[in-house]
């Protein structure tokens, strides 16, 4: 909040607490936002965790889902659904899923795995990032006619707080070869403000130049994109419309909010 106030002293900034690994927290957050009675012009689904930070013994949340999968995807799914009214009021509006090149590691996802403890443990990071792209594309398909565009953004390797529990050597290496959080945010800011993203297809955007030429540059590259838009083609699974619809239907059932589907078709 202080960062925003320093750069935009006239801005009115509020902070609402949200835990995406809890259905109750997401519902409480959206109820607070409802009381603000504000339109919503942009929603960035950026919260996330990786497998190294997951409790391998517990694995599941109080809602009965894999903690990582619920944090990275299911919580965002519910959040967007409950904020849909405000996104429509704020149209033309946009939703961005911050995903990862690691979605390519899940070519044949088993969605039911997110409801089981796995012994031996196998992380669902790639599966959760694939789910975000599928959600972005299905959301765009359903809501672009209402003025709500939906895209996915892969920042690539970023030296951020996610590395805080890594070894000193890993931190040094990451800081030397990865772009900074501010640099990755600049590319996302450009996408948020770009008028061309309000129409056309749902895109998979990247944080490094050259990502459209080689998958290597989806993770690392000599140049960050800055204010440029660098789309590329995600994995075949991410482009599978039937898989996206299947995930959507499962997510509605899992979240216990199937009645909200009427709002998506109004």
């Amino acid at each position: 909040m202080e960062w925003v106030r320093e750069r935009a002293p006239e801005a009115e900034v509020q902070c609402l607490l949200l835990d995406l690994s809890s259905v109750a927290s997401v519902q409480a957050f959206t109820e607070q936002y409802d009381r603000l009675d504000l339109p919503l012009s942009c929603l960035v689904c950026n919260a996330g965790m990786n497998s190294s930070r997951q409790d391998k013994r517990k694995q599941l949340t109080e809602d009965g889902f894999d903690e990582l999968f619920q944090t990275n995807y299911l919580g965002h799914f519910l959040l967007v659904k409950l904020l849909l009214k405000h996104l429509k009021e704020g149209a033309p509006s946009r939703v961005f899923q911050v995903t990862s090149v690691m979605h390519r590691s899940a070519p044949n996802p088993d969605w039911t795995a997110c409801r089981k403890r796995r012994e031996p443990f196998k992380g669902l990071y790639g599966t959760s990032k694939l789910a975000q792209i599928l959600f972005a594309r299905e959301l765009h398909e359903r809501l672009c006619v209402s003025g709500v565009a939906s895209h996915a953004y892969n920042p690539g390797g970023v030296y951020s707080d996610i590395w805080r529990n890594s070894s000193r050597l890993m931190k040094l290496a990451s800081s030397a070869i990865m772009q900074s959080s501010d640099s990755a945010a600049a590319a996302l800011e450009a996408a948020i403000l770009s008028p061309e993203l309000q129409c056309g297809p749902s895109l998979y955007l990247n944080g490094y130049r050259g990502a459209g030429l080689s998958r290597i540059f989806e993770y690392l590259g000599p140049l960050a994109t800055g204010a440029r838009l660098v789309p590329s083609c995600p994995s075949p699974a991410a482009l599978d419309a039937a898989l996206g619809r299947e995930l959507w239907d499962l997510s509605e059932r899992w979240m216990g909010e199937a009645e909200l589907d009427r709002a998506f078709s109004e």
Side-chain angles (χ1 to χ4, degrees):
M1 292 175 66
E2 292 304 318
W3 186 93
V4 175
R5 290 193 176 110
E6 288 175 2
R7 289 157 178 79
E10 73 287 354
E12 182 179 343
V13 185
Q14 295 189 49
C15 178
L16 305 179
L17 296 180
L18 170 62
D19 178 1
L20 285 161
S21 68
S22 166
V23 168
S25 179
V26 174
Q27 291 174 325
F29 173 88
T30 55
E31 288 169 2
Q32 290 181 70
Y33 195 89
D34 286 343
R35 289 193 289 272
L36 295 176
D37 195 27
L38 294 172
L40 184 59
S41 60
C42 184
L43 177 61
V44 178
C45 298
N46 184 45
M49 64 183 296
N50 60 25
S51 298
S52 66
R53 296 174 60 186
Q54 187 171 5
D55 186 337
K56 310 301 189 296
R57 292 168 297 181
K58 183 181 177 183
Q59 297 188 29
L60 304 182
T61 67
E62 62 183 14
D63 300 308
F65 300 98
D66 179 82
E67 180 187 19
L68 183 150
F69 191 81
Q70 185 168 347
T71 300
N72 291 2
Y73 164 66
L74 275 175
H76 286 137
F77 178 86
L78 182 60
L79 178 68
V80 171
K81 293 202 72 172
L82 294 178
L83 290 176
L84 178 60
K85 177 184 73 171
H86 303 289
L87 286 164
K88 285 187 173 182
E89 290 173 352
S93 56
R94 299 177 188 182
V95 179
F96 288 89
Q97 301 290 328
V98 179
T99 183
S100 167
V101 65
M102 291 304 294
H103 79 275
R104 297 187 183 279
S105 68
N108 300 295
D110 174 12
W111 304 126
T112 63
C114 78
R115 307 212 67 175
K116 307 171 184 175
R117 290 188 77 261
R118 297 171 302 286
E119 299 293 348
F121 175 77
K122 182 180 180 182
L124 297 179
Y125 183 78
T127 301
S128 72
K129 292 302 171 179
L130 170 65
Q132 284 189 283
I133 302 176
L134 288 168
F135 177 40
R137 293 176 63 83
E138 183 65 18
L139 184 67
H140 189 81
E141 179 70 20
R142 295 180 182 229
L143 292 184
C144 63
V145 295
S146 300
V148 182
S150 174
H151 303 280
Y153 169 60
N154 161 45
V158 179
Y159 182 61
S160 66
D161 191 50
I162 200 171
W163 301 101
R164 65 178 178 271
N165 295 325
S166 301
S167 66
R168 186 166 179 268
L169 179 61
M170 178 62 77
K171 290 179 181 178
L172 286 172
S174 299
S175 64
I177 63 176
M178 294 181 178
Q179 65 174 320
S180 67
S181 296
D182 286 348
S183 175
L188 181 57
E189 178 185 7
I192 290 170
L193 298 176
S194 173
E196 63 188 274
L197 291 189
Q198 197 58 46
C199 56
S202 179
L203 296 180
Y204 170 64
L205 300 165
N206 295 274
Y208 286 97
R209 299 185 192 183
L213 302 175
S214 172
R215 291 180 187 174
I216 294 175
F217 296 133
E218 286 187 27
Y219 188 69
L220 284 175
L223 294 172
T225 58
R228 298 188 182 190
L229 300 180
V230 180
S232 67
C233 186
S235 70
L239 297 174
D240 188 332
L243 187 63
R245 290 190 294 270
E246 174 189 311
L247 176 63
W248 182 287
D249 292 342
L250 280 171
S251 301
E252 284 192 327
R253 187 164 78 245
W254 287 338
M255 290 289 92
E257 295 291 344
E259 71 276 8
L260 292 178
D261 188 56
R262 291 193 299 273
F264 280 75
S265 56
E266 290 176 355

